[in-house]
Amino acid sequence: CARESLPAVGDWVALRLLPEGNRATIEAVLPRKSQFIRKVAGKPTEAQVVGANMDWVFVMMSLNQDFSVRRLQRYLVLAWESGASPVVIRSKSDLCDDKETAVAGIRKEAVGVPIHTLSALTREGVDDLGNYLTAGKTIVLLGSSGVGKSTLVNVLLGIPSLQTEPTRAHDGRGRHTTKAPPLFLLPGGALVLDTPGMREVQLWEAEEGVQMAFEEIEAHASQCRFRDCAHQHEPGCAVRKALGAGTVDEGRFQSYE
């Protein structure tokens, strides 16, 4: 069977108990309300479900020198495509002296998405996440290695359950510490899924996610004269017109292409 149809972290499954009493087999995976899919490394035609049945995707971006707008764009597309709702978490605020300048690009890319700034070290902003961590809700943490996902899980749990490592001093990049995606039950009844760090994200059938992440460009594209407009030199291209008028950002358009 296809890899994406196999049970994944967060799935609800139907079990059949075996005669031994302490063993069971999985008979079926129940329908998912959301699923977090990426391409399997080295196998561009195969999908991998990293997590299922999430309510929120915490897109974590560190405010140190490893911040990347392009990576944020890819993560937002992936989050929207999952069927869950993205929330941008600006982590490691204690390492940033000029927070407003550092997050200016985030506001432009994450239009309409809740944005929170926090430091797991000082606990700044951690309490603001309480509205998402209600009983029965599932949150998946998405971000590159060293962004602070495991550290945040430890803070939310109140105990050091996950191994953490400091980022490299010369470039702010992290070391892989989460080897498998564990699911944790928080004291308030919410579930949190900590994914292995992914520096390079390969999107899988992300048309809907692209539409949501680049909503303002999609709105102009729907006004183009031709339905198959490539937004290059076609007459009546509403996107090119918006670029010329400055109502569509050139950098975001390059990412959209």
Side-chain angles (χ1 to χ4, degrees):
C1 62
R3 178 188 285 258
E4 61 184 304
S5 66
L6 297 174
V9 178
D11 269 328
W12 292 94
V13 299
L15 295 178
R16 180 170 61 88
L17 293 178
L18 298 178
E20 297 91 320
N22 59 351
R23 299 181 61 192
T25 60
I26 295 176
E27 294 293 308
V29 177
L30 301 186
R32 297 163 177 154
K33 67 178 180 181
S34 61
Q35 55 184 358
F36 183 47
I37 301 178
R38 67 174 179 179
K39 287 185 179 180
V40 176
K43 299 180 180 179
T45 59
E46 191 173 2
Q48 177 186 16
V49 178
V50 181
N53 297 312
M54 313 86 56
D55 297 283
W56 303 99
V57 178
F58 281 7
V59 179
M60 297 189 63
M61 303 296 296
S62 176
L63 292 180
N64 63 4
Q65 61 265 43
D66 190 37
F67 174 75
S68 166
V69 170
R70 287 297 182 93
R71 190 183 304 134
L72 172 61
Q73 292 170 340
R74 295 196 296 272
Y75 286 157
L76 285 173
V77 170
L78 205 58
W80 282 121
E81 187 67 21
S82 74
S85 298
V87 178
V88 175
I89 305 296
R90 307 177 297 194
S91 65
K92 301 192 177 183
S93 61
D94 54 290
L95 299 180
C96 182
D97 296 326
D98 188 357
K99 300 173 188 175
E100 288 306 311
T101 299
V103 302
I106 295 179
R107 292 196 181 96
K108 182 175 67 175
E109 299 299 333
V111 178
V113 176
I115 301 174
H116 296 274
T117 300
L118 62 83
S119 167
L121 180 64
T122 66
R123 291 195 61 88
E124 174 196 359
V126 172
D127 292 339
D128 295 336
L129 303 181
N131 290 335
Y132 309 104
L133 306 176
T134 55
K137 298 295 184 180
T138 299
I139 300 93
V140 61
L141 306 183
L142 173 60
S144 59
S145 301
V147 77
K149 300 187 301 298
S150 298
T151 302
L152 178 58
V153 172
N154 287 340
V155 170
L156 296 177
L157 285 170
I159 53 175
S161 295
L162 293 179
Q163 177 187 356
T164 61
E165 293 283 352
T167 56
R168 301 190 305 237
H170 68 281
D171 61 5
R173 293 189 172 186
R175 303 173 174 88
H176 290 281
T177 53
T178 302
K179 305 303 182 184
L183 188 66
F184 292 93
L185 177 63
L186 300 183
L191 294 165
V192 60
L193 168 60
D194 180 30
T195 62
M198 291 179 289
R199 185 165 300 279
E200 295 298 330
V201 177
Q202 295 184 342
L203 303 179
W204 178 265
E205 297 181 353
E207 180 178 354
E208 184 176 346
V210 170
Q211 292 173 354
M212 296 293 293
F214 295 93
E215 187 175 9
E216 83 284 13
I217 300 178
E218 284 283 324
H220 288 290
S222 67
Q223 302 301 316
C224 290
R225 180 183 302 177
F226 304 109
R227 294 184 62 182
D228 59 348
C229 183
H231 317 307
Q232 296 300 322
H233 307 290
E234 296 87 348
C237 176
V239 174
R240 300 305 307 183
K241 182 179 179 181
L243 283 167
T247 54
V248 166
D249 180 76
E250 180 68 34
R252 279 179 57 76
F253 175 69
Q254 295 297 326
S255 297
Y256 172 80
E257 285 191 298

